[in-house]
Amino acid sequence: MYNYSVQSCRYYGRICFSYSYILSVCPDYGHITTNIGIMAMKFKLVTRKNMGPDQKDIPEKKYAQMVCGDYVPFEDFLEEVGDSTGVGSAGSKAVIDRMVVVLVRHLRHGRRVQVGELGHFRYNFGSSGVEKEDDFVTSMIREPRVRFYPGKALRVAKSRTSFEKISLTEKAEEGDDDDRPVIE
């Protein structure tokens, strides 16, 4: 089994994957890469009602629940992108804002939109069924949903994700990231 690490390619600014830990050659472009460092996704076990076929024998089971890491505000994200591209955060924001406008325009026309290595977007919808074609009206169509299909780099990163269980004491030290209000 290989140990992979996420790398940032200095020349292309793309995320690359490598078998090394510190410095290596970008496997896709042959340029020197520096290690960003990858950490395992944290999870905790929670007790939930068993909805499976064995629910009569085992009414409750333990399930993994992701413990969210730090929140990255949009401004911080823009600053990081701007710093690594030389465009600046204002230029990055302008491009992302315009990208949203163009994306919405194409989606409204029923097109699939490829957004580089990020992946592609498309609308998806369903409707209520009818017996006869003449009985169908467009109001039976449910509101469309935006579907995102990740590109290769995100699919590879997702497949190489590792997991780390946290204990209750470790969770208490980090602070509770539960979005639900506490009732006292």
Side-chain angles (χ1 to χ4, degrees), residues 69-184:
D70 293 337
Y71 173 75
V72 179
F74 186 59
E75 293 77 22
D76 292 354
F77 179 76
L78 286 174
E79 186 177 324
E80 191 173 340
V81 169
D83 288 348
S84 63
T85 60
V87 177
S89 61
S92 299
K93 182 171 181 354
V95 169
I96 291 173
D97 288 345
R98 187 64 188 156
M99 185 180 77
V100 171
V101 170
V102 173
L103 178 65
V104 168
R105 180 185 323 134
H106 287 295
L107 289 175
R108 283 185 180 160
H109 287 93
R111 299 178 182 131
R112 291 175 293 159
V113 182
Q114 179 69 39
V115 185
E117 294 177 9
L118 182 64
H120 75 269
F121 295 84
R122 72 176 178 91
Y123 274 157
N124 185 26
F125 64 84
S127 71
S128 302
V130 295
E131 287 185 39
K132 298 178 187 172
E133 188 174 337
D134 295 336
D135 295 338
F136 188 83
V137 291
T138 57
S139 63
M140 295 176 155
I141 297 174
R142 292 187 287 275
E143 183 179 351
R145 288 183 249 168
V146 176
R147 294 292 312 261
F148 170 70
Y149 298 90
K152 184 177 180 182
L154 290 175
R155 288 192 316 266
V156 169
K158 183 177 74 164
S159 70
R160 295 180 179 159
T161 301
S162 60
F163 301 96
E164 175 186 345
K165 181 181 175 187
I166 64 168
S167 64
L168 295 177
T169 56
E170 187 177 337
K171 177 68 175 155
E173 291 171 4
E174 291 180 4
D176 195 0
D177 290 339
D178 196 354
D179 292 336
R180 295 176 287 184
V182 177
I183 300 173
E184 296 179 12

